[in-house]
Amino acid sequence: MDKTKYERIVKTFYDYLEEGKVMGRKCTRCGAVEFPPYLACNTCGCPKTEWEEISGEAEVTGFRMESLMHSEEDIKELHGDYCYATVKLKEGAELNTVVVGVTAAMKDELMEKIPFPVKPYIAQRDGYKAVFWQLDE
Amino acid sequence: MTNLRKYSRGVSIIGVGCTPFMDTLGNLETAGLTEGELFGYAALEAMEDAGLEASDVEYYYHGQAIPSVQSHYITHNMQIANWFGMKGKASSSHSEACCTGYVALEQAVQAVAAGTYDIVLSGCCDMSEARAIPDKPAHMRTRFTQEEFADVLPMMYSRDYTRTSLAANALVCDSWMQLYARENNLTDQQIDDTLNAMAISCRRAAALNPLAFMGRSYKEEAEEAGFSTEMDYLRSPFNPKVTEYLRLSSFEQKCDGAAAVIVCPTELAYKYTDHPIEVLGVGHACLEGGTANLEKHATAEAYRQVKELTGLGGSDMDLFLANDFLLCSHLLAAEECEYLPKGEGWKYAAEGRTAFDGDKPINTNGGRCHFGHAHGSSGLADLYEAVKQMRGEMGPTQLKKTPETAMLRGFGGGQNVTCTILKTL
């Protein structure tokens, strides 16, 4: 068995983030983009996908501020105010994620603007980088 | 997309059992109860209900949401077998977080429908307030604290990407409710009043149910705290908001409990009981925690499956039960499954029409926030409630019209969603 045929998708995704690239996997059959990336296509079931950089075009479809039950102190310290949001990518995926740069004072105005545009924000975490989002003015 | 096929043979419920949902450590008479004993009591009750003994049961399943932490087990089916006479019988274990109890029924039904076994027991036990102490006898237990529980919750989410996105648990609480509010132009005040009315209905049912965890109505609590109405009490600092929409009264009450069900081929059911209840189908969909509005999407898919299979929809149901460890979940699921009319469900809930004595009853045992949430066991506790209601045996909370059909919407924070239809034979 050739061990090199087992590509490390998760590791490669995080390696790309170190280079400042946010990558998905495009289905070789139907063209759907898996973000975050997986081995096979969840749209048509095709077993083959290949790396593709995402466009970065996305919009917030809903959001909520931190609460008594949910808050991320380390995010706030390193990256400032934030909200929890559902974000829909131009490529199709809709995710639960974090949008930085959103203060409680902005809540009502942004709520009226849903859907509003955001772009990727690569955040340094403890020993790795992660994808959050930021307002795309 | 999955389209279900009819069972190879019909399967019916012939016995149910359920322990009280309780804080075992908080009572001298129950402190020291073990998971083997709790499972055993629920299983033996189900056997008695079906007129069977362990020698008649050919296979059993054991579901538990958090076996490694709560019981310090990884093979939980093995550790309870000897407690109810099933030594040497085949069994297996499963774990689907808060959906475990609903999957428990699906597994038993499939085993009988396949023709492999005629009599199958499926039970669940979780001790969500009294966890095991590793290397001490099973009766020696300690408080499973809220802080420890919070540490366990991330285990429901993929370490590939979802945990690093941080938002899954926060958004599951509020995102569907927010979407619903926007679609129906509801103000925050209308949402708050609706959720408080739902809490009052559920607590009223729980206070009348001897198995429920919360034994006092809000009316009593409000009077004691000096409020003239339950609504005033629930709007007060006694009941703070802990997320954007949800107050304490809209959150699960973690507790200990077990429940069990026995199923057999429908063609044999009258041999054991004069009131069998057939399982017409179980829709089942799963979406991992990184998916936006996963509960809504998976509920829609599970419902579509069972509706297409059976030709029956929510509007044909006499009773609806939904796993509502977040109280808003039962309203949203009831609309998604067409039990309540689209965009109108919140009015039904606000007017008390979804209470056990209303015309569109939901969660007549009080649900997870008031009957209690023994995580993996809760689905089978809902099944127990549905079966007892359909037999007309629920006493003070019995529906005005004994239901002939019921729908159970299972949902786990671990992201399994089921939709089950039951019908009186």
Side-chain angles (χ1 to χ4, degrees), chain A residues 14 37 63-64 69-70 96 107, chain B residues 160-161 169-170 178 242 289-290:
Chain A
Y14 286 97
F63 73 96
R64 50 156 292 196
M69 184 162 278
H70 299 104
N96 291 325
K107 181 191 163 192
Chain B
D160 302 336
Y161 312 114
N169 195 251
Q178 184 185 79
V242 290

Side-chain angles (χ1 to χ4, degrees), chain A residues 16-97:
Chain A
Y16 270 125
L17 290 182
E18 294 294 332
E19 298 172 18
K21 291 183 177 176
V22 182
M23 302 293 286
R25 299 274 294 186
K26 185 173 184 176
C27 175
T28 59
R29 182 163 69 200
C30 76
V33 175
E34 288 290 331
F35 183 82
Y38 296 104
L39 285 171
C41 176
N42 281 291
T43 298
C44 74
C46 174
K48 289 188 179 175
T49 58
E50 53 193 23
W51 288 106
E52 172 149 311
E53 189 165 5
I54 65 159
S55 66
E57 292 179 47
E59 58 190 23
V60 167
T61 55
F63 73 96
R64 50 156 292 196
M65 307 308 294
E66 62 182 339
S67 64
L68 200 59
M69 184 162 278
H70 299 104
S71 64
E72 316 290 339
E73 283 308 311
D74 57 329
I75 298 295
K76 204 159 189 168
E77 281 177 23
L78 287 173
H79 307 288
D81 290 308
Y82 70 94
C83 67
Y84 301 103
T86 52
V87 169
K88 188 172 176 58
L89 279 66
K90 179 187 173 189
E91 286 82 356
E94 191 173 2
L95 313 164
N96 291 325
T97 185

